[in-house]
Amino acid sequence: MSRKAIARIPASTTNLGPGFDVLGLALQLYSTVELEETESGKEVIVTGIDADKIPVTTENVGLQAAELIFERSGNQPKGLRLALTNGIPALRGLGGSGTAILGGMLTANLLCGEPFSRSEILNFACEIDGHPDNVAASLLGSLVVSVTDSNVVHTLKLNCDTDLHVVVAIPDFPLSTKEARKVLPGFVEFKDAVHNVSRSSLLVAAVATGNLEMLSHAMADRLHQPYRISLIPGYDEIAEAATKAGALSVALSGAGPTIAAYCTTAMHEVAEKMSQAFARHQVACDVKILPIDANGATVQFIHSTNREPV
Ligand code: HSE
C-alpha cells in the first residue's frame, strides 16, 4: 500500500494595512498538496493556476519543506512525489508560497507519524517564508496576530464576523516579496510608528468586538504602503473607487500587487469598480470576492491500494 497524505491550505492576505509582518487573514481560496513516499527519486508535479511559474525541480519550496520535516524527524524516505494543485495566483501577495510550504510540511509530518506539533510546524514554516504572517493565518485560519520573540513565533487567532468579505483585485503582473521589501526604508519617523500602532490596535479590537465599521479608521499605513504603491499603477484611484462603492477599507494584500477591499456589503459593486479602475491604468485584473476561512489548513492520509475495485 502506498503511503500518501493530502493537505488543503487557504490563501492569506497579510498586513491589512498597518499590521506589517504581524496580521494575517485566511481566505476561502485553496491549494492542495499531495505527498507520497515512493521507491526512489524526487518528483514534483504542479497543476492549476500559474503552474508554469512554479518550479518542478528541487527548488520547489513545498518539496524543500517536506524534506526539512523528514530530516528533522530523523526519517529518510527512499523517494518522494509531491503534487501541488495550485489555486492561488503566484507572486501576487496572497501567500501562495506559504501554502506550498505548509502543504509540504503538514503532509510530511503526517507521513512521519506526526513528530511535530502545529506550533513547531509554524516555526519551521517561518524559517523558510521569512515572516510569520502568511503561514500563521494559512495554518490556523481566520485573523491571526503573530509575534516573534527570541526566534519563536507566538500567535493568537481571532474569529471574524462571517459578514466580512475581502474583495481582491489581482493584477496580471507578478511582484515578488523580495522585490517589494527592497523598497522599504531602514528607519521610520516616531510619529509614523505611533500612527501604525494605533491603527493596528484598533483593527484587532474592531474584529475582536465585532465593530467592523471601525475598520474604516483602522487600516491606514505609514510603514510600507507609501513605499510600495509606486509599484502598482493606479493604487490610489483603485482604493478610492472601492471605498466609494461601499468598501469599509482598502489595503495592499501582503506585499502586493493585489489590492484588498474589506466589505460587509456591496461586494459586487466594489469588485466591478476596482476592475474598472485598474483597466483605466491599462492593467488587466482578476477580481474575486472571498469569505474568510475560519479553520485553516487540514491534512489527512489518502488510503490507496493497488487492488482493483470489487
Ligand atoms: N508581511 C510581508 C510583507 C508579507 O509585507 O513583506 C509578504 O507577503
Side-chain angles (χ1 to χ4, degrees):
M1 189 156 81
S2 83
R3 286 168 47 73
K4 209 169 170 183
I6 184 165
R8 179 174 181 261
I9 316 98
S12 60
T13 186
T14 57
N15 301 331
L16 290 83
F20 182 77
D21 276 3
V22 172
L23 301 179
L25 184 63
L27 302 172
Q28 288 190 22
L29 182 70
Y30 300 91
S31 285
T32 61
V33 171
E34 265 184 51
L35 186 70
E36 183 176 8
E37 283 190 59
T38 56
E39 286 306 310
S40 64
K42 304 276 160 67
E43 188 186 357
V44 178
I45 301 154
V46 180
T47 54
I49 295 167
D50 287 341
D52 57 332
K53 298 188 179 72
I54 299 170
V56 290
T57 59
T58 48
E59 296 290 295
N60 183 282
V61 285
L63 180 68
Q64 290 174 353
E67 287 177 317
L68 181 144
I69 295 295
F70 277 98
E71 194 185 306
R72 290 196 182 169
S73 63
N75 286 288
Q76 185 62 56
K78 286 193 229 155
L80 284 176
R81 179 183 299 121
L82 182 141
L84 166 68
T85 306
N86 190 46
I88 302 164
L91 301 172
R92 301 299 202 284
L94 290 165
S97 68
T99 62
I101 292 165
L102 286 173
M105 288 192 171
L106 290 168
T107 49
N109 195 47
L110 193 61
L111 293 180
C112 291
E114 297 196 278
F116 300 116
S117 66
R118 284 219 158 196
S119 106
E120 287 169 314
I121 295 279
L122 175 60
N123 278 281
F124 296 155
C126 291
E127 280 179 39
I128 300 184
D129 215 26
H131 46 88
D133 41 353
N134 287 109
V135 284
S138 291
L139 183 64
L140 302 174
S142 200
L143 179 70
V144 181
V145 182
S146 302
V147 170
T148 308
D149 197 5
S150 307
N151 288 325
V152 179
V153 182
H154 300 275
T155 56
L156 276 179
K157 168 179 171 177
L158 284 172
N159 292 325
C160 288
D161 191 317
T162 51
D163 283 351
L164 185 63
H165 287 69
V166 185
V167 180
V168 288
I170 309 166
D172 69 352
F173 62 89
L175 176 60
S176 75
T177 299
K178 200 170 159 195
E179 291 305 312
R181 285 178 97 90
K182 276 190 194 158
V183 302
L184 302 180
F187 297 91
V188 296
E189 296 251 2
F190 190 81
K191 63 179 171 27
D192 292 337
V194 172
H195 174 279
N196 268 53
V197 171
S198 65
R199 269 68 180 179
S200 188
S201 304
L202 184 65
L203 195 160
V204 171
V207 172
T209 59
N211 284 290
L212 293 181
E213 70 287 351
M214 273 291 184
L215 292 182
S216 59
H217 303 292
M219 292 179 80
D221 163 72
R222 290 192 187 164
L223 294 189
H224 67 109
Q225 291 192 179
Y227 309 96
R228 287 173 161 172
I229 59 176
S230 61
L231 305 172
I232 298 140
Y235 178 88
D236 287 332
E237 196 188 311
I238 295 150
E240 193 186 334
T243 311
K244 271 194 186 151
L248 293 165
S249 208
V250 180
L252 267 187
S253 183
T258 292
I259 301 177
Y262 294 77
C263 301
T264 49
T265 58
M267 277 76 84
H268 291 280
E269 177 76 357
V270 168
E272 193 185 329
K273 296 294 179 195
M274 291 175 89
S275 175
Q276 288 169 357
F278 254 135
R280 283 195 289 279
H281 290 267
Q282 286 74 51
V283 176
C285 76
D286 183 21
V287 202
K288 294 184 192 298
I289 299 171
L290 301 173
I292 309 309
D293 171 280
N295 302 313
T298 56
V299 62
Q300 63 190 56
F301 280 112
I302 303 175
H303 294 288
S304 66
T305 65
N306 292 328
R307 270 184 299 156
E308 291 294 320
V310 283

